[in-house]
């Protein structure tokens, strides 16, 4: 925890979590508003997708298209999950009944879809234990009041009833099956947040009830098992605190709406209500040299000359979008620029942004010339700074990577400027006392001049795995 950052209860915000959380006083941009430690947290364990042994899609397994390794199979050709280990935290936060029956519980949960994820089931067992040892915990009481997906409640209830019937000792007698079902619903809903540093997830009450907006006024920062919320723009008294709950940056409106619908999130931001242009869909204006055309609802208009497109022009633009998605296969920056030069789509269009992002990944993996890599980082930042009109962690990362790349090619003044930008952006996203903000401050005031010196700084900070050159 950051000792100087308030908890939710002490923060200058309204306390009724059944209503949108609002600021009770003016909050300046870059100010951490509150922090929250996970009520319970667990690692993913050795859980694997039935089709791949190494999978990043923790909660989107159906979208995982390319198996990376052959999974172990049983005699019938079915998937065999490797044994799930119990770590020290599990021993301290699970009941003796769970620990004594752990292997059997894991086998049981493997057959229950809503408990198939190892971290979900571990977190459930820890919540049940918390009910036994600290039933008056305020966050625990609130957890039973938060809304969950009622469409799946019957499935949650069946899982709870079967768990009690098969392993009665692990369910506190003070909890009815409906109570346990609600907890399972919580763990399968937005209240369970990924925690990358522990390779798992944790349960958060206050951070999870903040209102979603595609253009948020707050940022969510995760360190270990702690989340804190920082204002990324000035927030007035009475203004609702908003976060991008689905992290849908640089996605077109239709994709945003589809993703939000899956999570049953309603967004009333200007973009979703068609009051603002969809900046992720950018087209070259045919009436002026420098203009960019964006759709606002059904109207496509240039931001410079204000000329509106005809129905025929709109149809041509949409047809090009569809065609480029199918044909774009650039493996170099030159190839990508050739696509852009002959296209009606602007370089800031989301299709080209994600192609550029893929190209950046390929370049890092293949150790291409750092001069080209620096060009890609600058282009990515140009796209992000145009399309995202608010501070974002992705910008921090790219400024950091650009700075590292510039050190590698000997452009120290350029690297210093990039670190200054990373510091300023990190302060807005997470506060100036955040460890990464302080790292960028040190790097901007004393920029390393060699790759070796740079590596030493990042290793000392514990970030050697993220050094790019």
């Amino acid at each position: 925890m950051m000792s100087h950052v308030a908890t939710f209860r002490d923060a200058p915000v309204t306390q009724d979590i059944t209503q949108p959380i609002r600021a009770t006083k003016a909050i300046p941009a870059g100010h951490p508003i509150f922090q929250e430690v996970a009520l319970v947290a667990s690692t993913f364990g050795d859980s694997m997708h039935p089709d791949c042994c190494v999978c990043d899609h923790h909660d989107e397994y159906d979208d995982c298209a390319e198996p990376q390794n052959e999974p172990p199979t049983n005699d019938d050709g079915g998937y065999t999950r490797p044994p799930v280990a119990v770590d020290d935290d599990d021993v301290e936060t699970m009941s003796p009944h769970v620990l004594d029956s752990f292997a059997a519980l894991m086998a049981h949960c493997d057959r229950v879809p809503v408990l198939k994820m190892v971290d979900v089931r571990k977190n459930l067992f820890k919540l049940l234990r918390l009910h036994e040892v600290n039933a008056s915990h305020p966050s625990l009481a609130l957890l039973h009041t938060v809304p969950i997906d009622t469409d799946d409640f019957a499935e949650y209830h069946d899982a709870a009833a079967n768990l009690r019937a098969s392993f009665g000792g692990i369910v506190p007698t003070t909890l009815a099956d409906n109570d346990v079902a609600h907890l399972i619903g919580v763990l399968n809903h937005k209240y369970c947040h990924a925690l990358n540093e522990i390779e798992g997830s944790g349960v958060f009450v206050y951070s999870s009830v903040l209102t979603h907006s595609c253009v948020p006024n707050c940022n969510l920062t995760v360190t270990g098992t702690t989340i804190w919320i920082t204002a990324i723009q000035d927030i007035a008294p009475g203004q609702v605190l908003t976060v991008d709950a689905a992290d849908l940056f640089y996605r077109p409106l239709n994709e945003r709406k589809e993703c939000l619908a899956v999570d049953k999130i309603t967004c009333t931001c200007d973009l979703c209500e068609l009051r603002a242009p969809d900046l992720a869909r950018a087209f070259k204006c045919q009436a002026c040299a420098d203009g960019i055309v964006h759709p606002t609802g059904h109207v496509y208009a240039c931001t410079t000359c204000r000329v509106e497109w005809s129905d025929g022009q709109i149809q041509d633009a949409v047809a090009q979008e569809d065609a480029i998605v199918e044909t774009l296969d650039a493996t170099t920056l030159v190839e990508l620029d050739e696509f852009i030069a002959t296209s009606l789509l602007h370089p800031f269009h989301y299709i080209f942004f994600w192609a550029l992002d893929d190209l950046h990944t390929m370049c890092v993996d293949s150790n291409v010339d750092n001069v080209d890599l620096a060009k890609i980082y600058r282009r990515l930042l140009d796209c992000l700074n145009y399309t995202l009109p608010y501070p974002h962690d992705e910008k921090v990362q790219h400024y950091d990577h650009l700075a590292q790349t510039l050190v590698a090619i000997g452009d120290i003044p350029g690297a210093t400027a990039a670190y200054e930008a990373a510091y300023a952006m990190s302060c807005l996203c997470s506060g100036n006392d955040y460890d990464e903000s302080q790292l960028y401050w040190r790097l901007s005031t004393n920029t390393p001049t060699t790759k070796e010196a740079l590596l030493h700084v990042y290793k000392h900070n514990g970030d050697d795995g993220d050094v790019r050159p």
Side-chain angles (χ1 to χ4, degrees):
M1 293 181 66
M2 296 175 66
S3 58
H4 65 286
V5 179
T7 63
F8 180 84
R9 290 297 185 187
D10 296 323
V13 298
T14 55
Q15 298 292 303
D16 183 359
I17 67 169
T18 66
Q19 300 295 321
I21 306 301
R22 299 175 183 273
T24 56
K25 70 175 187 179
I27 303 174
H31 179 76
I33 303 172
F34 71 87
Q35 64 180 327
E36 179 179 7
V37 178
L39 183 59
V40 295
S42 298
T43 60
F44 294 145
D46 295 317
S47 174
M48 294 189 293
H49 186 315
D51 294 322
C52 64
C53 291
V54 182
C55 182
D56 291 329
H57 299 285
H58 169 56
D59 57 356
E60 299 175 356
Y61 280 169
D62 292 339
D63 297 330
C64 188
E66 297 185 7
Q68 300 179 35
N69 290 304
E70 288 297 323
T73 57
N74 56 31
D75 293 338
D76 298 325
Y79 168 68
T80 301
R81 185 190 302 278
V84 177
V86 178
D87 59 35
D88 291 341
D89 179 72
D90 297 336
V91 172
E92 293 177 1
T93 54
M94 291 181 183
S95 73
H97 293 291
V98 169
L99 297 173
D100 290 343
S101 307
F102 194 76
L105 272 167
M106 293 298 102
H108 172 86
C109 291
D110 280 341
R111 300 187 293 271
V112 182
V114 295
L115 295 176
K116 68 179 180 179
M117 301 310 304
V118 171
D119 57 311
V120 167
R121 62 183 75 160
K122 282 186 173 183
N123 281 333
L124 175 62
F125 301 149
K126 292 175 183 181
L127 287 174
L128 296 178
R129 178 59 170 170
L130 193 57
H131 270 283
E132 292 178 337
V133 300
N134 191 9
S136 61
H137 193 295
S139 294
L140 195 58
L142 285 173
L143 208 58
H144 284 278
T145 68
V146 296
I148 61 171
D149 186 357
T150 55
D151 291 346
D152 295 324
F153 189 80
E155 190 174 4
Y156 302 151
H157 190 275
D158 287 345
N162 289 334
L163 193 63
R164 187 190 297 273
S166 302
F167 303 91
I170 73 168
V171 181
T173 57
T174 55
L175 293 179
D177 287 347
N178 278 355
D179 298 324
V180 180
H182 186 89
L183 292 177
I184 295 173
V186 163
L187 294 169
N188 280 274
H189 202 47
K190 64 180 182 178
Y191 310 101
C192 210
H193 197 285
L195 300 172
N196 293 334
E197 288 186 21
I198 69 166
E199 297 184 349
S201 68
V203 176
F204 298 86
V205 179
Y206 305 111
S207 307
S208 302
V209 298
L210 294 178
T211 301
H212 167 82
S213 174
C214 298
V215 187
N217 58 23
C218 293
N219 185 60
L220 183 152
T221 303
V222 183
T223 296
T225 58
T226 300
I227 287 177
W228 70 89
I229 306 299
T230 304
I232 57 176
Q233 58 179 259
D234 293 340
I235 300 175
Q239 188 175 352
V240 174
L241 272 57
T242 59
V243 294
D244 183 356
D247 198 21
L248 296 174
F249 76 96
Y250 228 118
R251 296 294 182 183
L253 178 60
N254 63 316
E255 288 188 14
R256 287 174 180 267
K257 283 187 171 292
E258 289 173 5
C259 291
L260 293 174
V262 170
D263 291 331
K264 299 185 178 179
I265 296 174
T266 300
C267 183
T268 58
C269 74
D270 287 347
L271 175 60
C272 289
E273 293 296 312
L274 307 182
R275 296 187 296 264
D278 186 355
L279 298 180
R281 294 182 65 205
F283 303 91
K284 300 171 186 174
C285 181
Q286 298 167 305
C288 66
D290 300 321
I292 305 177
V293 173
H294 300 289
T296 303
H298 298 294
V299 176
Y300 287 60
C302 176
T303 56
T304 301
C305 67
R306 306 299 179 185
V307 169
E308 294 184 10
W309 277 2
S310 66
D311 290 344
Q313 288 175 305
I314 294 173
Q315 290 171 4
D316 288 343
V318 173
Q320 280 208 27
E321 280 182 315
D322 294 339
I324 288 177
V325 168
E326 298 296 328
T327 60
L328 181 58
D329 185 25
T331 58
T332 67
L333 192 57
V334 171
E335 291 177 359
L336 180 59
D337 284 339
E338 288 174 353
F339 270 96
I340 294 174
T342 59
S343 171
L344 185 59
L345 278 58
H346 191 275
F348 292 159
H349 194 285
Y350 78 93
I351 293 176
F352 290 144
F353 171 81
W354 290 111
L356 194 63
D357 189 67
D358 288 342
L359 189 58
H360 139 256
T361 302
M362 287 189 288
C363 289
V364 170
D365 292 342
S366 59
N367 294 317
V368 300
D369 183 76
N370 280 314
V371 173
D372 287 341
L373 191 56
K375 291 178 182 177
I376 292 174
Y377 284 131
R378 291 188 190 279
R379 291 267 291 271
L380 286 168
L381 283 162
D382 286 343
C383 292
L384 288 167
N385 285 326
Y386 176 83
T387 304
L388 303 186
Y390 54 89
H392 196 282
D393 289 326
E394 194 77 6
K395 298 179 185 180
V396 178
Q397 293 174 20
H398 285 316
Y399 278 124
D400 177 16
H401 296 160
L402 171 62
Q404 294 180 38
T405 306
L406 293 175
V407 169
I409 62 179
D411 182 359
I412 307 307
T416 297
Y419 276 129
E420 289 172 347
Y423 170 68
M425 189 63 62
S426 183
C427 286
L428 287 172
C429 289
S430 306
N432 60 8
D433 289 332
Y434 180 41
D435 287 346
E436 285 193 6
S437 300
Q438 289 300 303
L439 171 65
Y440 298 137
W441 167 252
R442 294 193 298 273
L443 287 166
S444 67
T445 55
N446 186 20
T447 305
T449 58
T450 66
K451 289 193 292 185
E452 292 74 21
L454 187 70
L455 183 62
H456 175 76
V457 172
Y458 279 85
K459 277 190 172 182
H460 182 72
N461 200 63
D463 294 333
D464 54 299
D466 200 34
V467 176
R468 294 288 161 163

